[in-house]
Amino acid sequence: MSGVEIGLWSLLGILGLIWLGMHVSIALALTSFLGIWALRDSPQYAARMMALATRESISSYLFGVVPLFVLMGLVVSRADIGRDTFDVANRALGRLKGGLGMATVGANAVFAAITGISIASAAVFAKVAVPEMIRIGHTARFATGVVAGSSVLGMLIPPSLLLILYGILSEQSVGLLFVAGIGPGLLLALAYIAGIALMVRLWPGFTGTPEPAAPVARDGSLARDTASKLAPIAALIALVLGGIYGGVFTPTEAGAIGALGAIVIAAAKRRIGWRVLWQVTLETGHITASICFLIIAATMYSRFLALSGLPAAVTEWAVSLDLGTTGFVLIFCAILVLMGTILDSSSIMMITLPLVLPIARALDVDLIWFGIVTVLAVEIGLLTPPLGLSVFVIKGSLDDPRITLGDVFKGALPFAAIMGLVLLVLIVFPAIATGLL
């Protein structure tokens, strides 16, 4: 077989192994090893290539940003800062029709700016916001759908773990990716708020008919309580994002400063002790090891594909179709959404990016904008069956057995549709992402 044929068979092999239940990183590494063996007819050569990829893939200074932002996100989650954020947003928007849902979106947007992990947002607000929305009269489907939809803001509004992974794989500036994520993230949050306002008025059968929120007392104690909850959140956002955008420190250094700041704030609020900090540190290690293994396997797979000649052949074929940038991006996004029904976000990026980045470069696509589009398209898969990861996290975080997995999926579908519309707008108007660069 030719190298291109071996590369095509490797794609089928990876999908088949994943379908049989093998972990994505193991499937990538095993297929890459066998593919290089077939290409060079030498298991020793394949083993050396794998060893080289393992050493070089995670030796970059940039990779240090992953565990640091993971640690910051977990500390923030354990310190109940998400609940504080929700309380502040609820006081600002709770009197509006559908205001509690809007407050959940607003709180998630702020929480995203200090965590960068969608799963953390889904777990926190499933416990905080869903019971409150159901209590005032919203349906379980709508309440869980709001949390599921707004949780994906964690991977778009900086800092974002997926944007960090994309930056490592595409060799693009993580700082520029963070800046480019601001506009689309805010647009998606506003689109969710507008969608909630319309659904509450036009689709009461889905949203339920909530009771109006009680008037908020205008006294000094309330203002002091709001300020005490908002100040640490604002300080942490200013510390991390302000430092990056102001050129004070790099994204990796910002991760370290942010993690330390989160620990100090949690300790000052007496919401974290040595035991919890140790548990968070261990959890950070587990998550980082998993991501590390994925990056190693993706590097192996990328080098195997380069040896096979498949990316060059696919690039030549794609350019010959004369689809243009928009046609190529639309097809790629459709593939990402389809893959999101069976794979998690990081795995999708690890499999597809080594193949499509050469095409994007050949078409002179702005890789910063392309990264934002990729992350947004991949995140739609967090809400779609059968493997909507945020949906499963929300279901697992709820204590109410009356709320089924089907209810959460049905509630998330309108928000997945809103994400699709925002994705189309971002494709048509790239300046939403690149305007701040």
Side-chain angles (χ1 to χ4, degrees):
M1 288 189 293
S2 67
V4 173
E5 290 173 331
I6 292 174
L8 290 172
W9 277 110
S10 74
L11 292 173
L12 295 177
I14 289 170
L15 294 177
L17 290 173
I18 293 172
W19 183 77
L20 290 173
M22 183 177 287
H23 193 276
V24 174
S25 56
I26 298 176
L28 282 170
L30 178 61
T31 305
S32 301
F33 178 81
L34 295 176
I36 295 175
W37 186 350
L39 285 171
R40 292 292 186 263
D41 194 24
S42 171
Q44 291 80 14
Y45 183 85
R48 286 196 299 270
M49 284 289 294
M50 298 299 98
L52 186 64
T54 301
R55 188 182 74 242
E56 293 184 355
S57 59
I58 59 172
S59 62
S60 171
Y61 166 78
L62 179 62
F63 183 75
V65 76
V66 175
L68 293 170
F69 275 116
V70 170
L71 176 60
M72 182 179 72
L74 293 177
V75 170
V76 165
S77 178
R78 292 291 185 93
D80 274 346
I81 293 179
R83 183 182 294 274
D84 290 346
T85 310
F86 177 75
D87 288 345
V88 172
N90 188 29
R91 288 169 183 172
L93 301 171
R95 293 290 294 167
L96 300 176
K97 195 169 184 179
L100 204 54
M102 298 177 189
T104 303
V105 174
N108 246 317
V110 175
F111 195 64
I114 50 177
T115 58
I117 307 174
S118 292
I119 305 305
S121 298
V124 168
F125 288 96
K127 293 180 178 295
V128 173
V130 171
E132 284 296 308
M133 281 192 277
I134 293 176
R135 181 184 63 80
I136 68 169
H138 283 300
T139 64
R141 289 183 179 179
F142 175 74
T144 54
V146 170
V147 173
S150 58
S151 69
V152 303
L153 293 170
M155 286 303 184
L156 198 57
I157 295 178
S160 160
L161 195 57
L162 279 188
L163 288 179
I164 293 170
L165 290 178
Y166 176 85
I168 293 172
L169 292 172
S170 63
E171 299 179 349
Q172 298 298 306
S173 166
V174 173
L176 291 179
L177 286 167
F178 281 0
V179 174
I182 295 175
L186 294 178
L187 175 62
L188 182 59
L190 292 174
Y192 279 153
I193 290 174
I196 289 170
L198 289 174
M199 283 188 275
V200 168
R201 287 168 172 76
L202 305 178
W203 197 5
F206 172 72
T207 65
T209 307
E211 300 174 0
V216 178
R218 304 290 181 181
D219 57 20
S221 63
L222 178 62
R224 287 192 298 272
D225 182 54
T226 300
S228 68
K229 291 180 176 180
L230 189 60
I233 300 166
L236 196 55
I237 293 174
L239 185 66
V240 176
L241 299 185
I244 294 175
Y245 304 147
V248 179
F249 36 69
T250 67
T252 304
E253 294 165 345
I257 295 294
L260 177 61
I263 292 172
V264 170
I265 290 172
K269 287 177 171 286
R270 297 184 178 181
R271 294 177 178 176
I272 191 171
W274 290 110
R275 182 182 180 86
V276 174
L277 183 58
W278 175 247
Q279 292 173 347
V280 166
T281 303
L282 287 178
E283 191 174 350
T284 300
H286 292 156
I287 294 173
T288 303
S290 177
I291 295 172
C292 178
F293 198 11
L294 271 173
I295 291 176
I296 290 172
T299 304
M300 293 177 179
Y301 181 57
S302 178
R303 295 192 177 195
F304 156 65
L305 285 180
L307 284 174
S308 72
L310 180 61
V314 172
T315 300
E316 184 178 346
W317 171 75
V319 172
S320 68
L321 292 176
D322 199 23
L323 295 173
T325 300
T326 303
F328 160 69
V329 172
L330 287 174
I331 292 174
F332 178 54
C333 289
I335 293 172
L336 292 178
V337 173
L338 183 63
M339 293 183 71
T341 63
I342 58 173
L343 293 173
D344 64 275
S345 303
S346 56
S347 299
I348 294 170
M349 291 177 63
M350 299 296 180
I351 293 171
T352 58
L353 287 178
L355 196 59
V356 301
L357 283 174
I359 302 175
R361 291 189 178 97
L363 294 173
D364 291 327
V365 174
D366 185 329
L367 292 185
I368 298 294
W369 167 77
F370 187 67
I372 304 300
V373 169
T374 298
V375 168
L376 183 54
V378 165
E379 286 294 280
I380 295 176
L382 287 179
L383 309 182
T384 52
L387 192 68
L389 194 56
S390 282
V391 172
F392 281 96
V393 170
I394 289 169
K395 172 57 182 170
S397 301
L398 292 172
D399 298 323
D400 192 344
R402 295 171 299 176
I403 303 176
T404 67
L405 190 64
D407 289 333
V408 187
F409 270 121
K410 290 174 183 176
L413 285 179
F415 295 92
I418 292 173
M419 287 185 72
L421 291 175
V422 172
L423 178 61
L424 291 175
V425 171
L426 181 59
I427 292 173
V428 175
F429 302 103
I432 295 173
T434 61
L436 294 176
L437 301 179

